[in-house]
Amino acid sequence: MKTLYTAEAVVEGGREGHGRTSDGRLEVDLSIPEGLGGQGGTGTNPEQLFAGGLCAWFPAALLAERRQWTQARRRRLADRVTSGVGATGMAGWA
């Protein structure tokens, strides 16, 4: 694989900590939502970051081969990430 880009981030304190990217463009306090057993603090939860990142990445990935970057940037995409526990007791996303 030819590497085109590498994203780097560090989180201290886990899901109730603080995260930042190596380039300093993103700094965020993290909180666990009440629905996942947390206190629902003022920080962003990782599921929100995942949903936002997926919305930004997915259309570009689909259109990259066709070189339609302009169209990808013009679209509005919404995403919902649901965390839960399956029948086997394993956590998962939907």
Side-chain angles (χ1 to χ4, degrees), residues 2 4 9 12-15 18 22-24 29 34-36 42 46 50 54 58 61 64-65 70 74 78 92-93:
K2 177 183 175 187
L4 301 176
E12 296 177 22
R15 292 177 53 83
H18 182 82
S22 60
D23 62 7
D29 289 324
E34 291 179 19
L36 294 177
T42 59
F50 180 76
L54 184 62
F58 191 68
E65 290 299 318
T70 302
R74 291 182 185 162
W93 289 329

Side-chain angles (χ1 to χ4, degrees), residues 31-89:
S31 297
I32 300 173
E34 291 179 19
L36 294 177
Q39 297 180 7
T42 59
T44 299
N45 68 68
E47 289 76 18
Q48 291 170 316
L49 294 170
F50 180 76
L54 184 62
C55 284
W57 168 83
F58 191 68
L62 288 177
L63 298 173
E65 290 299 318
R66 295 172 53 195
R67 299 184 186 270
Q68 294 180 2
W69 291 97
T70 302
Q71 289 180 8
R73 288 193 304 265
R74 291 182 185 162
R75 292 192 173 109
R76 180 180 183 272
L77 183 67
D79 190 19
R80 175 179 289 167
V81 175
T82 301
S83 299
V85 178
T88 63

